[in-house]
Amino acid sequence: MKVYQTSEIKNIALVGGAKSGKTTLAEAMAFESGVISRRGSVDEKNSVSDYRDIEIDRKNSVVSSVMYAEHSDKKINIIDVPGFADFQGELVAALNVVETAVVVINAQIGIEVGTELAFKHTDKLGIPLMFAMNQLDTEKANFDEQIREMKDFFGEKITIIQYPVNAGVDFDSFVDLVTKKMYKYPKAGGKPEILDIPETEKAKAEELHLTLVENAAAGADDLMEKYFDQGDLTIEEVRKGLKLGLASRSVFPVLCCSAKDNKGVGRMLEFISNNVPSPDEAIAVKTLTNGNKVTYNPKSAPTLFVFKTSNEQHLGEIAYMKIMEGEVTEGMDVLNSKSQSKERLSQIFANSGKTRTKLDKAVAGDIISTIKLKDAKTNSTLTSPKNATDTVTPIVFPDPIYTTGVRAIETTDEEKVGALINEFCQHDRSMRVELSRELKQTIIKGMGELHINTLKWYFDNQHKIGIEFVTPKIPYRETITKSAEASYRHKKQSGGAGQFGEVYLMIEPYYEGMSNQSKYPIRGSETHELSWGGKLVFNNCIVGGAIDARFLPAILKGIMEKMEEGPLTGSYARDIVVNVFDGKMHPVDSNELAFKLAGRNAFKEAFKNAGAKILEPIYDIEVEVPADMMGGAMTDLQGRRAIVMGMDSEGRNQIIKAQVPLAEMYRYSTALSSLTSGRGWYSMKYKEYQQVPTDVQNALLKAYEEETKDED
Ligand SMILES: Nc1nc2c(ncn2[C@@H]2O[C@H](COP(=O)(O)OP(=O)(O)OP(=O)(O)O)[C@@H](O)[C@H]2O)c(=O)[nH]1
Ligand SMILES: [Mg+2]
């Protein structure tokens, strides 16, 4: 393959609603440009882009695929992104390495959750976007309606470049408002006849052309001036305006196609080649952690950014990378900026789904892959030894919103299951796993039930190991609400040396910013940041040497043990001040063990009388639903003990901001999806621990009692 220079490279991601036709379009683009000689199809299970077993099985994309097309001496790298909201991590990763997002719209449906999510993320990252109005060959295709909806949602930046003349099952023609021609496709798709605009379309075409010119003029000041003076622009000026407007996100061009019938695809590639910014022309640029911008300068020292890894059957680890600086050649040695380990790019490839074409050399801005790296992971930066400490700012993956417990059906598989889930999470950064010592459970966090179920698919079909999902335990905490005193004497006389220790202590609630005072004068104080959150303040208030200072660490140790297994439900305790103010020693029998036990039991006693409360984790959540579905979403949230903090509207959607206990969020994504027919989504972020209501506390105490009774 020819070595493409930075200015000849265009990186796009095909994003948007689930099943809108992204994979079909990616495949049509590669086919139309001659990169693949046979078109596969998602329906016939022989797609080049959806090639993984799980994708063939399910007929939808699960993982992004890298494809490319060669058109007009340009290399168009295409990342075919899955559309289901659960695979948002893939979307975010792709948007971190492309200069333009092509949002595919299903002309039968219009804006979907996937469209809105794609828009949200491009907006956040400042990525230019254009739209491909697809499936125009379907009976229910309605171009005008979708444009109306898009203008409502995305504003007047929506700029029609092409409109269909005969959307519906006979779709074969559209008018192109830039070239002012009609493109008419043969039944089998491919190369169009380029015709004059027919009389019947002239008035409409002229009107839409004027809007296009006006939007293009907004791309540059000199064009705007000329447009105001003369009321029109030349075709070159329109092109220039569109290109600038696209790059600066002031124009969102809309093109037409039927990906399935390969109609409009060649012209779309041409539009992309001419108008989409090359990496070095993009305005939203990645930066290095040293603050420098990525320049995509082929003469700089090589820097590569790993945006995705996967484990491919029969091949092993594959890393997908963007060349941020310099040139890369086969066999080149690089350093992992973080781990400083040396890696060799023994082979580099251009990918067409699972098919790889070997490259000798690739230049800044290009997207390539390599295999057999030792320790490069997503977000790794590989550089030449010259600038080895620079790293590219990492991809920030969305916070997981779905939590579940998981376990191996056969206990003998436990270790293997743990290792495989860990490996899965390495490749899919929107899924996280944690073996919780506290909950004695393996907890998985992901983007939804569909996401979690892909994991199960791999276990069922590839590894043939049974796993099951179980309700995740909630990491409750315990604390106190008032002060209480207690004492405990540990005394044992059995045969030889006895044990003796007596501790008097007072405990009180700790809160941030409190002044450390006690009714007992404090002679020494230690503040412990607890690894499970919150604090323990341990005050020595002993007067007259009632207990030797050397026994204090043992007392603290005993208290700490009880903090780790709270007296109410065995959960971690937090935010407590302990004042040890008196005690007794025995000249012979006192030792550390005796004081540890005395401290532990005195603490436990005091805790019982200190208004002990169970705390639960509270999350800030934002739920976005179409306005007419607000009522249902609200009622459901109230049933989840949510406190609504506010409401906002965004386009035709309503955003509900609320605080909800984690315990009420189990399977929320599924509930919301069925409440809103898949039109709602949400995000959540940990906020704080709060006391549970009395009824919940009573239920938890009862459950703990039952549970521990069983253990006896
Ligand atoms: N009639 C018609 N069907 C299409 C067109 N494009 C895609 N399809 C069909 O729509 C379905 C989904 O197509 P995909 O290409 O898998 O859609 P996708 O957007 O990649 O889906 P996800 O990756 O799962 O989000 C398949 O049955 C395709 O055959 C089109 O232009 N016309
Ligand atoms: Mg797909």
Side-chain angles (χ1 to χ4, degrees):
M1 194 200 292
K2 161 184 169 184
V3 176
Y4 286 91
Q5 299 307 310
T6 310
S7 60
E8 298 168 325
I9 294 166
K10 311 280 176 175
N11 296 314
I12 62 167
L14 297 183
V15 300
K19 302 266 185 183
S20 52
K22 300 173 292 299
T23 299
T24 310
L25 182 58
E27 205 133 345
M29 284 175 162
F31 174 76
E32 186 54 27
S33 77
V35 168
I36 55 174
S37 54
R38 187 189 59 78
R39 272 185 77 190
S41 125
V42 175
D43 308 303
E44 283 156 37
K45 299 180 174 253
N46 59 359
S47 158
V48 176
S49 186
D50 277 3
Y51 60 89
R52 301 165 189 91
D53 288 347
I54 183 168
E55 295 175 321
I56 293 169
D57 189 18
R58 302 205 160 171
K59 292 198 192 171
N60 65 253
S61 307
V62 171
V63 180
S64 285
S65 288
V66 178
M67 308 270 291
Y68 70 95
E70 292 177 289
H71 195 277
S72 329
D73 284 330
K74 305 276 184 340
K75 182 179 181 219
I76 303 169
N77 289 312
I78 305 164
I79 307 185
D80 169 23
V81 177
F84 285 104
D86 283 48
F87 306 126
Q88 242 178 93
E90 297 289 299
L91 169 66
V92 172
L95 291 180
N96 266 266
V97 291
V98 297
E99 279 71 50
T100 303
V102 178
V103 185
V104 180
I105 303 271
N106 181 343
Q108 305 170 87
I109 302 177
I111 294 174
E112 302 177 73
V113 167
T115 329
E116 294 177 32
L117 278 177
F119 184 74
K120 254 196 162 63
H121 289 298
T122 54
D123 200 31
K124 207 158 124 192
L125 295 164
I127 307 285
L129 53 128
M130 53 180 275
F131 291 88
M133 183 75 78
N134 188 36
Q135 310 217 13
L136 284 166
D137 61 293
T138 51
E139 199 186 329
K140 294 210 175 90
N142 190 340
F143 182 83
D144 294 341
E145 174 59 27
Q146 307 323 348
I147 291 287
R148 247 193 312 278
E149 205 185 15
M150 285 156 72
K151 284 193 171 165
D152 245 18
F153 210 84
F154 306 119
E156 293 301 320
K157 292 178 180 181
I158 292 287
T159 306
I160 302 174
I161 304 293
Q162 300 161 346
Y163 75 88
V165 171
N166 54 350
V169 283
D170 296 324
F171 171 68
D172 67 354
S173 307
F174 56 73
V175 167
D176 192 298
L177 302 165
V178 178
T179 57
K180 286 194 170 171
K181 291 284 176 191
M182 185 171 88
Y183 290 63
K184 186 174 165 57
Y185 289 83
K187 209 168 169 26
K191 299 275 167 285
E193 267 182 277
I194 300 178
L195 306 167
D196 287 335
I197 298 175
E199 274 314 308
T200 47
E201 293 297 328
K202 277 208 163 125
K204 183 175 179 185
E206 197 45 43
E207 191 194 326
L208 290 174
H209 175 76
L210 281 179
T211 317
L212 167 74
V213 172
E214 202 176 314
N215 283 8
D221 289 346
D222 56 332
L223 295 179
M224 202 56 172
E225 253 167 54
K226 187 181 169 209
Y227 177 68
F228 273 133
D229 276 358
Q230 300 177 7
D232 205 356
L233 298 176
T234 64
I235 188 165
E236 279 67 37
E237 288 165 336
V238 169
R239 287 196 159 124
K240 180 180 161 197
L242 279 178
K243 188 168 175 175
L244 292 170
L246 173 65
S248 63
R249 285 175 62 86
S250 55
V251 171
F252 298 155
V254 183
L255 281 80
C256 290
C257 65
S258 160
K260 193 170 185 173
D261 296 346
N262 193 15
K263 290 173 181 159
V265 177
R267 171 73 184 114
M268 196 175 289
L269 286 171
E270 186 177 270
F271 184 88
I272 290 168
S273 311
N274 292 337
N275 294 292
V276 156
S278 313
D280 55 349
E281 294 170 330
I283 47 162
V285 284
K286 290 285 265 185
T287 49
L288 299 170
T289 39
N290 63 11
N292 291 345
K293 289 187 168 159
V294 172
T295 58
Y296 299 102
N297 180 354
K299 300 210 161 55
S300 299
T303 303
L304 294 117
F305 178 62
V306 179
F307 65 94
K308 178 169 179 52
T309 60
S310 69
N311 192 347
E312 305 267 321
Q313 261 179 325
H314 315 300
L315 183 71
E317 295 280 322
I318 175 160
Y320 295 90
M321 306 172 292
K322 184 175 188 186
I323 308 170
M324 310 307 266
E325 300 286 356
E327 289 181 353
V328 175
T329 46
E330 185 185 75
M332 192 162 147
D333 285 330
V334 285
L335 264 192
N336 184 322
S337 295
K338 204 159 178 196
S339 66
Q340 291 293 304
S341 58
K342 218 169 158 183
E343 300 275 12
R344 172 156 296 177
L345 304 172
S346 56
Q347 291 180 314
I348 53 173
F349 304 104
N351 279 70
S352 224
K354 79 170 160 192
T355 315
R356 289 170 310 281
T357 307
K358 235 160 79 65
L359 302 173
D360 299 327
K361 179 168 141 183
V363 177
D366 211 346
I367 289 176
I368 58 170
S369 71
T370 191
I371 48 173
K372 303 198 173 85
L373 292 182
K374 286 184 305 232
D375 115 81
K377 302 184 173 70
T378 298
N379 276 337
S380 289
T381 300
L382 306 175
T383 64
S384 76
K386 253 190 270 170
N387 52 339
T389 52
D390 295 346
T391 59
V392 177
T393 43
I395 301 164
V396 180
F397 286 94
D399 287 317
I401 55 171
Y402 188 95
T403 303
T404 183
V406 64
R407 66 173 171 228
I409 289 173
E410 302 293 338
T411 43
T412 46
D413 287 335
E414 249 163 35
E415 215 166 289
K416 210 161 162 202
V417 166
L420 285 166
I421 297 179
N422 261 321
E423 192 196 313
F424 188 92
C425 295
Q426 281 294 331
H427 298 306
D428 183 344
R429 291 304 180 89
S430 55
M431 192 178 289
R432 296 174 202 163
V433 63
E434 173 202 352
L435 175 63
S436 170
R437 199 168 66 90
E438 170 190 5
L439 305 174
K440 299 179 186 68
Q441 212 178 30
T442 302
I443 300 283
I444 305 182
K445 294 182 178 177
M447 300 308 296
E449 202 156 12
L450 183 65
H451 191 204
I452 300 285
N453 281 336
T454 57
L455 178 74
K456 182 154 167 48
W457 187 95
Y458 286 109
F459 275 98
D460 289 347
N461 296 280
Q462 236 166 46
H463 310 303
K464 315 261 185 231
I465 298 175
I467 58 167
E468 61 185 353
F469 297 124
V470 291
T471 314
K473 292 188 193 151
I474 303 294
Y476 291 107
R477 299 284 177 263
E478 298 178 14
T479 196
I480 53 171
T481 56
K482 57 183 189 189
S483 63
E485 293 188 5
S487 66
Y488 192 88
R489 172 184 292 192
H490 178 76
K491 188 176 171 187
K492 219 170 177 184
Q493 228 106 47
S494 53
Q499 286 184 22
F500 184 91
E502 185 169 23
V503 171
Y504 283 74
L505 50 73
M506 189 265 275
I507 60 175
E508 53 192 329
Y510 168 85
Y511 54 90
E512 217 50 60
M514 76 188 287
S515 65
N516 197 12
Q517 281 176 344
S518 158
K519 74 178 198 194
Y520 301 103
I522 298 170
R523 298 157 60 90
S525 177
E526 297 171 21
T527 300
H528 295 268
E529 299 273 353
L530 304 167
S531 61
W532 52 87
K535 291 199 173 111
L536 167 72
V537 180
F538 184 69
N539 290 333
N540 170 6
C541 310
I542 295 167
V543 275
I547 305 176
D548 257 7
R550 70 191 160 102
F551 291 127
L552 284 173
I555 297 173
L556 174 63
K557 202 164 171 213
I559 291 168
M560 219 35 138
E561 271 181 20
K562 205 61 218 158
M563 296 274 294
E564 280 194 34
E565 204 193 335
L568 295 181
T569 58
S571 309
Y572 291 129
R574 56 177 283 170
D575 298 330
I576 296 170
V577 182
V578 179
N579 304 287
V580 180
F581 63 87
D582 204 356
K584 270 205 189 77
M585 293 184 293
H586 184 276
V588 183
D589 292 347
S590 277
N591 58 19
E592 286 183 357
L593 180 65
F595 275 103
K596 190 180 97 170
L597 290 169
R600 182 189 155 109
N601 286 312
F603 178 76
K604 185 176 158 189
E605 276 309 302
F607 202 96
K608 276 189 199 153
N609 300 318
K613 291 277 182 213
I614 299 172
L615 306 175
E616 63 180 341
I618 303 290
Y619 278 69
D620 273 327
I621 73 163
E622 272 192 36
V623 186
E624 190 160 342
V625 293
D628 55 337
M629 293 170 175
M630 252 274 283
M634 206 62 140
T635 312
D636 174 79
L637 279 175
Q638 273 148 8
R640 295 173 189 273
R641 296 195 278 127
I643 296 172
V644 175
M645 308 302 287
M647 268 175 287
D648 240 337
S649 62
E650 193 171 302
R652 55 184 184 170
N653 284 352
Q654 287 285 326
I655 301 172
I656 309 170
K657 294 181 178 168
Q659 292 182 356
V660 192
L662 179 64
E664 302 289 342
M665 290 299 286
Y666 184 47
R667 306 196 70 199
Y668 181 62
S669 67
T670 313
L672 182 66
S673 179
S674 70
L675 263 173
T676 59
S677 318
R679 310 244 15 177
W681 79 84
Y682 71 107
S683 58
M684 62 191 274
K685 220 177 173 59
Y686 167 73
K687 172 151 176 59
E688 62 188 7
Y689 272 90
Q690 281 179 16
Q691 286 177 21
V692 301
T694 315
D695 55 333
V696 176
Q697 170 139 340
N698 290 341
L700 288 169
L701 289 176
K702 198 159 169 234
Y704 184 66
E705 204 178 298
E706 292 286 315
E707 196 184 305
T708 40
K709 205 191 306 164
D710 288 350
E711 278 172 15
D712 291 340

